[in-house]
Amino acid sequence: MEFPVTRMRRLRKNQNIRTILTENKLNPEDFIYPIFIKEGLEDGQKEHIDTMPGQYRYSLNDAVKEASRLEEIGLSSVLLFGMPIIKDEKGSMAYSKDGIVQQAVRKFKVETDLIVITDVCMCQYTSHGHCGIIDDDEIVNDLTLNYLSKIALSHAEAGADIVAPSDMMDGRVGAIRKTLDLNGYYDTIIMSYSAKYASSFYAPFRNAICSTPCSGDRKTYQMSPANSNEAIRETKMDIEEGADIVMVKPAMPCLDIIKIVKDEFKMPTAAYQVSGEYSMLKAGIAAGYLTSDSIYESLLSIKRAGANLIITHFTPEFLEGSI
Ligand code: PBG
Ligand code: ZN
């Protein structure tokens, strides 16, 4: 039917009508909160991250404390990032039983009922800052798989519910699944960063966590923002290798990719609203150009595109009801 019989504004007449006709809603359980835990930091001395206003690096105890506070107001999952004191060529502290993330996982599992997800990568732990093992100026794919498997296994042994490989090496999901299964960790879930782009929106994160590569960039392993067919191939491979949950990253610059991935594979799909997306909105609000409604709208757009789970630094503000 056409106008004047059909009038779309009828459906927007007042807030009650609009509410019952709302197609997409954000729920507390949609949110995953990324937490940075810095080894050696004194309790009570959280460090403000200047490139990400309102976000902090926490000591182990303080991270658990903050997450517990959020658990009381509806948080269900955390994504842990560790910052080690010692870095080396092979990122040894990434798979050490006593690494900061392994310690953190154990403590979170004892002191909270949160779903504990760990970032599986090498870049915070390697002296060169790349996400893999370097030989002769090359990031060596197949050799790196052994290290990523060891990292994932050490997280599973510590009690992680979900491991999330973010490195973008080929074959890592299969290698990790095989290692987990061989060691009896059949139930450890893999959430793979399937379509991860080489994005400038990661800049505040790298600054926050000291993982900027000393030389070169990540373009030989992360995807070009110009490509979408490639995202389908990447995601398909991860699913065939055993990924349980797939992820698109970044989120707002990739809403089309989230939609394609969801429509094509019907998998549980996560989207990562990255540091640059967070800081951009924060800066806009601080300057008075935007309001906190813009945050809500950004999250809604990610959900509408097809994400079941949203990894975002805005998680506390959402749970606190301030956006
Ligand atoms: C490292 C990693 C990065 C992010 C998550 N894991 C940075 C990168 O790939 O350079 C980015 C997160 C963010 O910007 O919020 N593998
Ligand atoms: Zn990395």
Side-chain angles (χ1 to χ4, degrees):
M1 281 296 175
E2 287 177 7
F3 176 83
V5 176
T6 298
R7 288 177 182 271
M8 295 306 287
R9 290 186 58 193
R10 238 179 244 146
L11 302 178
R12 305 176 200 135
K13 196 162 82 180
N14 60 44
Q15 188 55 53
N16 283 347
I17 301 283
R18 291 193 294 273
T19 298
I20 65 164
L21 295 175
T22 298
E23 292 180 46
N24 292 282
K25 288 184 187 149
L26 296 166
N27 309 305
E29 62 270 26
D30 302 336
F31 286 75
I32 299 173
Y33 186 39
I35 304 185
F36 304 131
I37 307 171
K38 186 172 170 180
E39 191 175 19
L41 202 59
E42 299 269 324
D43 292 340
Q45 301 288 311
K46 65 178 181 182
E47 290 178 349
H48 186 249
I49 300 167
D50 294 340
T51 52
M52 300 172 67
Q55 298 298 311
Y56 297 87
R57 291 178 281 257
Y58 292 99
S59 72
L60 180 45
N61 290 326
D62 288 347
V64 175
K65 228 187 253 174
E66 172 64 0
S68 301
R69 178 184 76 82
L70 296 171
E71 187 179 13
E72 278 173 25
I73 53 172
L75 182 67
S76 49
S77 330
V78 286
L79 173 59
L80 304 184
F81 289 93
M83 295 182 64
I85 293 174
I86 297 168
K87 302 188 184 213
D88 61 28
E89 286 277 290
K90 298 196 158 38
S92 325
M93 286 317 287
Y95 48 88
S96 160
K97 192 168 168 289
D98 294 315
I100 183 68
V101 165
Q102 291 79 358
Q103 289 181 44
V105 172
R106 289 193 288 269
K107 199 168 168 65
F108 270 90
K109 289 312 290 181
V110 172
E111 297 189 15
T112 75
D113 289 317
L114 293 165
I115 296 168
V116 176
I117 311 173
T118 55
D119 183 79
V120 173
C121 201
M122 309 196 61
C123 49
Q124 292 109 265
Y125 300 87
T126 48
S127 39
H128 46 72
H130 275 290
C131 305
I133 299 291
I134 297 192
D135 188 25
D136 220 2
D137 282 345
E138 286 233 359
I139 293 134
V140 188
N141 193 88
D142 298 15
L143 183 58
T144 300
L145 302 184
N146 301 335
Y147 288 87
L148 294 167
S149 302
K150 281 205 271 192
I151 299 171
L153 178 60
S154 73
H155 292 176
E157 283 169 346
D161 300 289
I162 305 181
V163 292
S166 66
D167 52 281
M168 289 300 279
M169 297 299 128
D170 287 320
R172 86 256 208 237
V173 173
I176 289 172
R177 185 72 270 160
K178 197 168 146 202
T179 302
L180 292 176
D181 288 355
L182 275 174
N183 288 277
Y185 292 98
Y186 309 105
D187 287 336
T188 306
I189 295 166
I190 300 179
M191 174 167 80
S192 109
Y193 290 64
S194 313
K196 177 172 177 179
Y197 286 87
S199 170
S200 60
F201 284 91
Y202 306 153
F205 170 95
R206 291 182 190 167
N207 177 289
I209 204 161
C210 307
S211 72
T212 308
C214 295
S215 64
D217 52 40
R218 301 207 205 288
K219 289 181 186 166
T220 69
Y221 40 105
Q222 299 179 349
M223 291 175 35
S224 160
N227 297 351
S228 53
N229 289 334
E230 193 182 344
I232 299 179
R233 295 184 67 204
E234 276 284 3
T235 307
K236 186 160 182 279
M237 283 179 76
D238 282 5
I239 295 168
E240 284 166 354
E241 289 175 30
D244 303 291
I245 303 171
V246 297
M247 194 203 297
V248 175
K249 180 184 173 188
M252 271 201 287
C254 294
L255 294 175
D256 56 332
I257 307 298
I258 298 171
K259 177 143 182 62
I260 294 172
V261 163
K262 186 65 187 180
D263 288 351
E264 178 87 15
F265 301 111
K266 320 278 185 217
M267 289 283 289
T269 303
Y272 199 142
Q273 186 179 49
V274 301
S275 55
E277 300 176 65
Y278 172 85
S279 301
M280 171 172 76
L281 283 160
K282 280 286 184 188
I285 293 164
Y289 303 142
L290 298 172
T291 67
S292 62
D293 287 347
S294 315
I295 300 174
Y296 198 89
E297 190 178 327
S298 75
L299 296 164
L300 206 48
S301 74
I302 296 166
K303 183 86 190 269
R304 194 184 65 234
N308 307 97
L309 296 166
I310 305 173
I311 302 163
T312 176
H313 298 282
F314 288 119
T315 299
E317 284 166 80
F318 177 81
L319 296 174
E320 286 157 2
S322 53
I323 51 174

